[in-house]
Amino acid sequence: MTLTRLLPTLRRSIPDPIAPERWPAGTRVTTTDVIVGGFSMTRLAERDGTPLAHLAPTPTPTGGHGERVRHRGVAVATVRGISDADGLPLVAIDGGNGPLRPDWAEARLIGRVSVAKTVTVAVGFAAGGGHALARIELPGDLAVGDLIAVPIEADRVTIRFARPTDAARRAEPALHG
């Protein structure tokens, strides 16, 4: 049990602690944010919208030559709805299933400070029809529009680059040679 769990008003001055081994290396937390590789997750969500996944700059090797590489990062989602599921609040977030594995036990509210007691909620994707993915601990005053950050892990990462259009090639021949 942490001090911020016992006395939620302390969250105004000290952030809820994290388990550093479950987050990307060098992750820092503030009372309202998670910073990964120098990037504020709150600011990225404001700029790019949610859901979003931000991978840490350096993947983590899991073994010797030829073994898989884990990419750690953080996913940020917006609360889209809150309902009741068998006496437990069901928090519907934007997003969907994908290749990323969230560590739900480390989920945390970002974007604002809450001094409400922590409660157990079920979390699920808004597009998933109310199917609960996990039970997690979040502040009891969670509201629609709040941002939730959770550490993620992926074995494979595919980066796709947009190809320039023919019009762009004609407009900038020196760049597209």
Side-chain angles (χ1 to χ4, degrees), residues 14-45:
I14 60 173
D16 279 326
I18 62 169
E21 69 280 0
R22 297 168 94 175
W23 292 82
T27 296
R28 292 184 311 110
V29 293
T30 69
T31 56
T32 60
D33 209 352
V34 173
I35 291 83
V36 179
F39 291 95
S40 157
M41 296 300 102
T42 302
R43 298 296 163 253
L44 284 179

Side-chain angles (χ1 to χ4, degrees), residues 71-98:
H71 296 270
R72 288 194 180 269
V74 175
V76 179
T78 301
V79 174
R80 297 297 178 194
I82 301 174
S83 59
D84 191 352
D86 299 323
L88 189 68
L90 175 61
V91 176
I93 59 173
D94 55 6
N97 292 327

